[in-house]
Amino acid sequence: MNQLMLRRPRRNRKSPATRGHIRETRLSVENLVYPLFLIEGEKQKIEVPSMPDCYRWSTDMALGEIEDCLKLGIHSFILFPAIDEALKDKEATYGYEEGNRYCETIRTIKERFPEACVITDVAMDPYSSDGHDGYVEDGEILNDRTLPILAKMSVAQAQAGADILGPSDMMDGRVGYMRQALDKEGYTNVGIMSYTAKYASAFYGPFRDALDSAPKAGDKKTYQMDPANKLEALIEADLDVEEGADYIMVKPALPYLDVIHLLKENYSTPVAAYNVSGEYAMLKAACLNGWLEFEKVMPEMLLSIKRAGADVIITYFAKDFAQIQKIRP
Ligand code: PBG
């Protein structure tokens, strides 16, 4: 006996066609940004121990990886340098030194693949002997002392041909400071993807292993946000938008989907989300153990970030997603 029911949501789920009609969120490779860890040398492709199947690349090898990605439809890359300890100092001088390896790599990539959208990292930590994102004096991270260093890094990266700069340091006022420095030098078309709500998260562990960039002393809690806070993300977003950010980012992604949603609802500036190294590591570990099915669970995870409100997703899974999508769109 059939029950009398006027509304049966299952009717719209009855076939692939009807499910296709009502699908609310679609994730495309166009939404994805692929991070690359860059190391010194030639012919180097070294796996990150805590990130199976994710590698550190020498510039020549990175070019091959970028070429593969472009063929798969991935056009955006975010680059992170691993810097030799001997080149690090308190001022992160190497970060803006003429012809440094990072800027040379940007230049090489843009010469070879002008269609690639190159996003950079603007922060002191890869170059700082203290391993912090700001200038350290007597154990304190000095905000305003850091800004000119970030500005110099920004101009050097823009000069090298970067399309979008990614300040990941969480110093106050840096977006406006960088914007002014870029405009003054004529780089009005270089964008800023600001790490707006970047949390003091334990999910960055594998990234710091990959780049050997962990703080030498203390933690990042005086500049990165408290994981307990959400309203504070609105303050950060207000400032970044006022100061000229072209994208506002939430990082990490999965444990902060509510924050992604909050920014999407409150701002017209595009929202980016960073699906960070620890999120990669936990999913990958479960899949390698046979506990989760990679080809299904990974796209579901990325879709959830898009559904929450991210326009752009930075993810170490970008290439895997593009490959899976090619076989089973
Ligand atoms: C540092 C930076 C970090 C990440 C990107 N830029 C780590 C940190 O703040 O210590 C983390 C990315 C990831 O975990 O995938 N400026």
Side-chain angles (χ1 to χ4, degrees):
M1 252 307 263
N2 287 331
Q3 294 294 315
L4 175 65
M5 263 187 268
L6 291 179
R7 303 187 66 193
R8 288 179 185 267
R10 285 188 57 192
R11 270 199 290 270
N12 287 348
R13 293 180 213 134
K14 72 182 167 195
S15 70
T18 61
R19 290 195 292 274
H21 297 159
I22 64 166
R23 187 156 296 128
E24 298 172 39
T25 310
R26 283 172 211 276
L27 180 65
S28 145
V29 285
E30 289 185 337
N31 301 116
L32 305 183
V33 176
Y34 188 42
L36 292 172
F37 299 130
L38 301 170
I39 51 172
E40 223 181 314
E42 272 173 45
K43 303 237 173 319
Q44 300 294 311
K45 176 185 174 183
I46 301 171
E47 196 173 44
V48 180
S50 46
M51 300 176 75
D53 298 322
C54 180
Y55 299 89
R56 290 170 283 203
W57 310 86
S58 56
T59 303
D60 54 335
M61 297 293 281
L63 291 173
E65 181 71 352
I66 290 173
E67 189 168 19
D68 284 357
C69 287
L70 289 168
K71 284 186 193 140
L72 286 164
I74 298 164
H75 282 90
S76 301
F77 304 89
I78 186 162
L79 310 178
F80 296 99
I83 302 295
D84 191 2
E85 221 28 68
L87 292 168
K88 300 184 185 182
D89 61 21
K90 276 197 86 62
E91 302 259 351
T93 318
Y94 188 64
Y96 52 86
E97 199 173 284
E98 181 75 28
N100 76 23
R101 180 167 53 80
Y102 187 62
C103 289
E104 283 311 302
T105 304
I106 296 168
R107 194 167 276 123
T108 309
I109 294 170
K110 287 301 292 185
E111 270 166 19
R112 179 85 179 273
F113 307 111
E115 73 275 33
C117 175
V118 171
I119 307 171
T120 61
D121 184 50
V122 178
M124 286 179 65
D125 61 326
Y127 315 95
S128 151
S129 45
D130 293 302
H132 274 289
D133 296 27
Y135 184 83
V136 183
E137 195 175 84
D138 301 328
E140 202 187 324
I141 317 296
L142 300 185
N143 193 88
D144 297 14
R145 179 80 172 70
T146 304
L147 300 179
I149 299 171
L150 299 176
K152 283 185 223 168
M153 284 173 71
S154 302
V155 171
Q157 294 173 2
Q159 230 156 28
D163 296 282
I164 299 172
L165 309 186
S168 63
D169 57 287
M170 290 300 277
M171 294 301 119
D172 293 334
R174 91 274 205 210
V175 171
Y177 202 94
M178 285 167 57
R179 187 69 269 162
Q180 273 195 330
L182 290 169
D183 289 357
K184 198 165 141 257
E185 297 294 326
Y187 297 110
T188 52
N189 277 334
V190 173
I192 297 178
M193 182 181 282
S194 178
Y195 289 61
T196 298
K198 177 172 178 176
Y199 287 88
S201 167
F203 283 95
Y204 309 147
F207 176 97
R208 294 177 191 171
D209 291 344
L211 298 185
D212 194 17
S213 65
K216 301 278 162 34
D219 53 38
K220 299 193 173 186
K221 290 181 185 165
T222 66
Y223 45 107
Q224 299 180 346
M225 278 177 56
D226 185 335
N229 294 354
K230 197 155 79 165
L231 293 176
E232 202 181 344
L234 295 173
I235 301 177
E236 290 287 358
D238 276 348
L239 292 170
D240 280 357
V241 169
E242 263 168 39
E243 291 175 30
D246 301 286
Y247 302 78
I248 48 178
M249 193 198 295
V250 176
K251 175 186 176 183
L254 274 192
Y256 299 90
L257 293 179
D258 54 335
V259 183
I260 296 172
H261 181 71
L262 182 73
L263 294 198
K264 189 66 198 167
E265 296 281 290
N266 284 283
Y267 296 89
S268 46
T269 302
V271 174
Y274 199 142
N275 180 218
V276 301
S277 57
E279 298 172 59
Y280 176 92
M282 68 180 180
L283 188 121
K284 202 76 191 181
C287 294
L288 288 172
N289 263 304
W291 297 337
L292 289 173
E293 204 180 326
F294 184 70
E295 297 202 352
K296 294 194 174 143
V297 83
M298 183 273 288
E300 180 179 336
M301 177 173 172
L302 296 182
L303 187 70
S304 75
I305 300 169
K306 176 97 188 278
R307 195 188 59 239
D311 302 286
V312 178
I313 304 171
I314 301 173
T315 178
Y316 303 95
F317 293 123
K319 193 177 179 194
D320 294 326
F321 178 84
Q323 273 161 342
I324 291 173
Q325 171 122 321
K326 210 164 182 188
I327 310 164
R328 284 195 271 121

